[in-house]
Amino acid sequence: MNGAHDLGGMHGFGPIDNEGDEPIFHADWERRAFAITLAMGAYGAWNLDQSRFARECSDPAHYLSGSYYEHWLDGLERLLIESGLLSEQEIAERVADLATPAA
Amino acid sequence: MSKHHHNAPLPDTVLRVKALESLLIEKGLVDPEALDELIDTYETKVGPRNGAAVVARAWCDDNYKQRLLTDASAAIGELGFSGRQGEDMVVLENTPDVHNMVVCTLCSCYPWPVLGLPPVWYKSAPYRARAVIEPRAVLAEFGVTLDDDVEIRVWDSTAEIRYLVLPMRPTGSDDLDEHALSGLVTRDSMIGVGLPQAPVQQNR
């Protein structure tokens, strides 16, 4: 499928933003997103090709504006829901719980 | 798009990571200690110095170099490097006539066991879009200028095959041992967007 991820040869992206001596991860949430994605990959409910496809299914505008580990997170969430390991509702409820500061 | 947008995710993203991690742990689908170990491995144990050891060995040992160019995964495994995202490796030898450069236009495929996790620029839209259409301009942005008669070969990684560039041994490095040579091998030189460092002249 030709999609927003198929970037080879596209024009207009401008210069490459090379940070130089960059850290492996740029925020703690990136570490956690990386680790849970790898761990669930090893769990074996899906393969690497399915993981990539899940990331490429994002809305094209979001794909181009989001950061790398956000794509991973989007893909992981999609696979968890599709495989029935987590439901959309329980994820939404947990996010809501976490967003509410403890009394 | 802000310059370093990856530094400032929406608060929503942070919450979603926490939500998924806590649910997966509660359901016993992931082991919290295994998560910490994965992070530690890729933050502190696996990185470009692995690839630099492979390159330095190839510079010093012609038989090893031949094995590396024939069956890269096995030769890299000889030095103890193997695993995720490096199962099927191909090593590309730079020569005075040919310069190799690696990209993953579709995603971020990268040889983890020898280079660690890819830098942000490698995964970014500008590099992925431009490496295949204007490699000389991209190399210039990385400070690399090659003679016009040097052929540039750009290799597009896939989920199956991962590439490592074997840069040319720097001139003036004849006296250096394998360990010292590995110190000259930069990450970027093994992606093909850089060259190894020149040896420092020793005052004796």
Side-chain angles (χ1 to χ4, degrees), chain B residues 20-42:
Chain B
L20 293 184
E21 181 177 354
S22 61
L23 287 167
L24 293 172
I25 289 171
E26 282 166 28
K27 288 173 187 280
L29 293 167
V30 299
D31 168 7
E33 282 180 25
L35 298 181
D36 292 338
E37 197 177 318
L38 278 168
I39 293 164
D40 183 54
T41 296
Y42 286 98

Side-chain angles (χ1 to χ4, degrees), chain A residues 25-33, chain B residues 17-18 39:
Chain A
F25 298 105
H26 290 75
D28 194 51
W29 73 268
E30 292 191 349
R31 286 186 185 88
R32 310 315 300 180
Chain B
V17 178
K18 283 188 202 285
I39 293 164

Side-chain angles (χ1 to χ4, degrees), chain A residues 4-11 13-20 22 24-27 29-36 38-40 42-43 48-49 52 55-56 63-70 72-74 76-77 80 85-86 90-91 94-95 98-99, chain B residues 1 3-7 9 12-24 26-27 29-30 35-36 38-39 42-43 84-85 105-109 112 117-121 123 125-130 132-133 138 141-142 158-160 162 187-188:
Chain A
H5 61 281
D6 193 358
L7 286 164
M10 297 263 279
H11 291 265
F13 281 107
I16 293 155
D17 181 7
N18 184 356
E19 283 174 72
E22 64 174 63
I24 309 274
F25 298 105
H26 290 75
W29 73 268
E30 292 191 349
R31 286 186 185 88
R32 310 315 300 180
F34 169 81
I36 56 176
L38 248 64
M40 285 312 298
Y43 180 81
L48 185 60
D49 295 324
R52 279 176 47 146
R55 286 170 209 161
E56 291 162 1
Y63 183 87
L64 291 172
S65 64
S67 78
Y68 184 69
Y69 287 108
E70 283 177 84
W72 276 41
L73 194 63
D74 292 342
L76 177 63
E77 190 172 336
L80 287 167
L85 291 171
L86 294 182
E90 69 188 321
I91 297 169
R94 181 58 56 94
V95 169
L98 291 167
Chain B
M1 203 187 305
K3 190 168 179 327
H4 291 304
H5 58 275
H6 47 81
N7 286 347
D12 175 55
T13 301
V14 177
L15 289 177
R16 276 201 302 141
V17 178
K18 283 188 202 285
L20 293 184
E21 181 177 354
S22 61
L23 287 167
L24 293 172
E26 282 166 28
K27 288 173 187 280
L29 293 167
V30 299
L35 298 181
D36 292 338
L38 278 168
I39 293 164
Y42 286 98
E43 233 170 1
R84 272 194 185 90
Q85 316 275 329
T105 62
L106 289 175
C107 183
S108 54
C109 296
W112 290 10
L117 300 178
V120 170
W121 62 258
K123 304 177 284 193
Y127 183 71
R128 288 159 54 189
R130 294 175 53 213
V132 290
I133 199 169
V138 168
E141 283 180 35
F142 282 90
T158 68
E160 280 77 37
R162 309 295 167 105
R187 176 196 66 196
D188 288 0

